[in-house]
Amino acid sequence: MPLVILNTELPLFTWTVDHPWLSAFLLALGSFTFLRFAVKTAVVFSQTFLLGGTSLKKFGAKQGAWAVVTGASTGIGREFAVQLAKAGFNVLVAARSTSSLNETVSEIASAASGSQTKVVTIDLSKDDEAAYASFADTIAALDIGVLVNNAGKSHEMPTDFVETPKSEMDDILAINTRAVLRITALVVPHMLQRKRGLILNIGSFAGEIPSPMLATYSASKAFLATFSAALGAELKPHGIVVEHVNTYFVVSNMSKIRRASALVPTPRAFVRAVLAKLGLPCGAAFTGRPHTSTPFWSHALVDYAIGVLGWTGGMVSYTHGLHKSIRKRALRKKEREAKRE
Ligand SMILES: NC(=O)c1ccc[n+]([C@@H]2O[C@H](COP(=O)([O-])OP(=O)(O)OC[C@H]3O[C@@H](n4cnc5c(N)ncnc54)[C@H](OP(=O)(O)O)[C@@H]3O)[C@@H](O)[C@H]2O)c1
Ligand SMILES: *[C@@H]1O[C@H](CO)[C@@H](O)[C@H](O)[C@H]1NC(C)=O
Ligand SMILES: *[C@@H]1O[C@H](CO)[C@@H](O)[C@H](O)[C@H]1NC(C)=O
């Protein structure tokens, strides 16, 4: 019995014979598209679930180097400070609340007694020249191996742009963008001198998917992605790794989510994944954004799915709907609290 595929009566077969170059081109295009999809998918899954990233030793762990962590008083930043200390760094923690920073320091003292610590109390919303000068003095003699630009601020609740208080816009821009530039500019010369360093910029999916009702925050995080990619290319030849850490929800005061789930890790689990996957794009590998990584496994899968679907418009409307309902709930909660007082 002849194979169906050799049936010369089939319209596709006669079409192929009549257009040999065009059909060869289409076959090549199809194969290329499929191969590209398969290879990228393999990269995402192997990096996310199998491979380990660059060792922190390359950035001075256990060799007396310092890690500088902004926003280290709570949440993700505190966890970076503690885990970097455990990995063998001395740690400088910066934020506004001295008492909370002190708590971070005592956590470090009990988790990694060999680590030295320094506390810098600074309000990154203030563009305060004197504060940056004093920060520069504090780090002048330090061998800095790691900088984590983690301090960040979002809107109090999802709000239409026209109703967003000017002070909130100013604070978000100052903390999420200008402070990152200023602190990075102060630290990079230390890293250049020693020809090694790691800069982690803590970004958000809100920078990848434009987020209605969080417009200012969303744009500030998109800024971080582009800044990281440009800076990363500049610093790579000098042995300095820049990584924009693409983050979906994490349990914290900012997300207002208290219970962990598959999609929402604790800061501890999240930071562990970041530090285990340094230099690997993981979930960001599918769409190939240089110097961006989506290291936590479920966040990586979401990032991969967004890349495969490639439907940003749909994601924007989904996010808009989500934020409308979050706002409604937040307003109701505020009302209840007002009544109780
Ligand atoms: N949690 C999430 O779901 C999520 C998702 C995506 C991205 N992220 C990003 O992750 C980073 C950490 O967020 P988080 O969830 O850990 O939030 P968080 O618990 O609210 O912590 C924010 C940190 O930033 C510091 N900070 C805020 N305003 C500051 C200011 N004016 N000057 C100096 N430090 C300031 C805070 O310290 P003080 O109050 O003591 O100043 C605190 O240590 C942020 O960049 C955030 O955008 C979080
Ligand atoms: C939330 O912030 C308060 C201080 O503002 C801090 O004591 C608490 O640990 C934070 N919660 C989380 C989950 O980080
Ligand atoms: C933080 O710790 C330092 C050094 O131990 C201490 O001098 C300072 O009073 C503490 N500050 C707060 C607000 O707890």
Side-chain angles (χ1 to χ4, degrees), residues 56 60-66 82-91 112 115:
L56 281 167
K62 300 186 177 141
Q63 296 149 48
W66 285 76
V82 171
Q83 291 193 27
L84 286 166
K86 279 187 175 171
F89 287 95
N90 299 315
V91 185
S115 285

Side-chain angles (χ1 to χ4, degrees), residues 71 73-74 76 96-97 123-124 150 175 203 217 221 250 252 255:
S73 56
T74 61
I76 296 170
R96 285 170 307 179
S97 162
D123 185 343
L124 296 170
N150 162 84
I175 298 164
Y217 176 75
K221 290 298 183 179
V250 174
S252 85
S255 68

Side-chain angles (χ1 to χ4, degrees), residues 6 12 21 39 67 91 95 186 192 235 237 243-244 275 325 330 337 339:
L6 293 178
L12 183 61
W21 289 109
V39 168
V91 185
L186 289 175
L192 284 173
L235 295 180
E243 188 166 296
H244 163 244
L275 296 180
S325 80
E337 280 166 0
K339 266 187 206 145

Side-chain angles (χ1 to χ4, degrees), residues 75-76 249-261 264-267:
I76 296 170
F249 291 115
V250 174
V251 171
S252 85
N253 281 344
M254 184 189 283
S255 68
K256 299 190 178 76
I257 303 174
R258 292 204 191 90
R259 200 144 20 109
S261 61
V264 187
T266 59

Side-chain angles (χ1 to χ4, degrees), residues 134-146:
S134 131
F135 185 86
D137 282 345
T138 308
I139 64 169
L142 303 185
D143 165 7
I144 301 177
V146 178

Side-chain angles (χ1 to χ4, degrees), residues 231-296:
L231 182 71
E234 277 181 33
L235 295 180
K236 192 175 173 206
H238 302 280
I240 302 169
V241 174
V242 178
E243 188 166 296
H244 163 244
V245 181
N246 192 29
T247 311
Y248 198 56
F249 291 115
V250 174
V251 171
S252 85
N253 281 344
M254 184 189 283
S255 68
K256 299 190 178 76
I257 303 174
R258 292 204 191 90
R259 200 144 20 109
S261 61
L263 270 183
V264 187
T266 59
R268 182 156 304 164
F270 176 75
V271 169
R272 205 183 297 131
V274 174
L275 296 180
K277 300 284 178 182
L278 295 173
L280 300 177
C282 299
F286 191 81
T287 46
R289 288 154 281 158
H291 298 276
T292 286
S293 170
T294 312
F296 187 76

Side-chain angles (χ1 to χ4, degrees), residues 13-331:
F13 186 85
T14 42
W15 185 87
T16 308
V17 170
D18 290 346
H19 306 86
W21 289 109
L22 185 56
S23 51
F25 170 72
L26 289 178
L27 180 67
L29 183 66
S31 312
F32 173 73
T33 307
F34 174 76
L35 259 177
R36 205 170 73 125
F37 175 84
V39 168
K40 284 180 166 199
T41 299
V43 169
V44 168
F45 281 81
S46 58
Q47 291 188 346
T48 304
F49 294 104
L50 300 174
L51 300 175
T54 308
S55 162
L56 281 167
K57 294 221 178 72
K58 195 166 169 261
F59 308 109
K62 300 186 177 141
Q63 296 149 48
W66 285 76
V68 172
V69 184
T70 68
S73 56
T74 61
I76 296 170
R78 175 179 287 183
E79 206 43 55
F80 267 114
V82 171
Q83 291 193 27
L84 286 166
K86 279 187 175 171
F89 287 95
N90 299 315
V91 185
L92 182 151
V93 293
R96 285 170 307 179
S97 162
T98 314
S99 59
S100 299
L101 288 171
N102 278 1
E103 283 173 31
T104 303
V105 164
S106 25
E107 206 173 317
I108 289 174
S110 56
S113 52
S115 285
Q116 298 174 52
T117 49
K118 279 183 195 290
V119 172
V120 172
T121 305
I122 184 169
D123 185 343
L124 296 170
S125 72
K126 292 285 187 272
D127 293 316
D128 179 349
E129 291 305 323
Y132 284 121
S134 131
F135 185 86
D137 282 345
T138 308
I139 64 169
L142 303 185
D143 165 7
I144 301 177
V146 178
L147 167 63
V148 186
N149 283 309
N150 162 84
K153 182 181 163 68
S154 185
H155 301 265
E156 190 206 345
M157 67 176 79
T159 309
D160 280 336
F161 175 72
V162 287
E163 285 167 18
T164 304
K166 183 176 173 300
S167 60
E168 188 172 81
M169 285 185 220
D170 286 344
D171 285 354
I172 289 171
L173 274 192
I175 298 164
N176 298 5
T177 67
R178 284 199 299 283
V180 171
L181 303 182
R182 294 300 299 269
I183 299 277
T184 305
L186 289 175
V187 167
V188 165
H190 291 258
M191 295 179 165
L192 284 173
Q193 213 183 328
R194 290 168 178 95
K195 298 188 173 55
R196 58 127 169 80
L198 170 70
I199 300 174
L200 296 176
N201 294 327
I202 310 305
S204 166
F205 272 58
E208 181 179 357
I209 303 294
S211 302
M213 304 178 81
L214 297 180
T216 307
Y217 176 75
S218 177
S220 77
K221 290 298 183 179
F223 172 101
L224 268 192
T226 302
F227 172 63
S228 303
L231 182 71
E234 277 181 33
L235 295 180
K236 192 175 173 206
H238 302 280
I240 302 169
V241 174
V242 178
E243 188 166 296
H244 163 244
V245 181
N246 192 29
T247 311
Y248 198 56
F249 291 115
V250 174
V251 171
S252 85
N253 281 344
M254 184 189 283
S255 68
K256 299 190 178 76
I257 303 174
R258 292 204 191 90
R259 200 144 20 109
S261 61
L263 270 183
V264 187
T266 59
R268 182 156 304 164
F270 176 75
V271 169
R272 205 183 297 131
V274 174
L275 296 180
K277 300 284 178 182
L278 295 173
L280 300 177
C282 299
F286 191 81
T287 46
R289 288 154 281 158
H291 298 276
T292 286
S293 170
T294 312
F296 187 76
W297 70 271
S298 60
H299 296 181
L301 293 182
V302 174
D303 201 1
Y304 171 74
I306 291 172
V308 170
L309 289 173
W311 190 35
T312 307
M315 288 299 295
V316 173
S317 10
Y318 165 78
T319 308
H320 198 174
L322 181 71
H323 288 168
K324 279 182 189 162
S325 80
I326 291 177
R327 177 175 176 79
K328 255 188 219 146
R329 261 181 290 150
L331 285 176

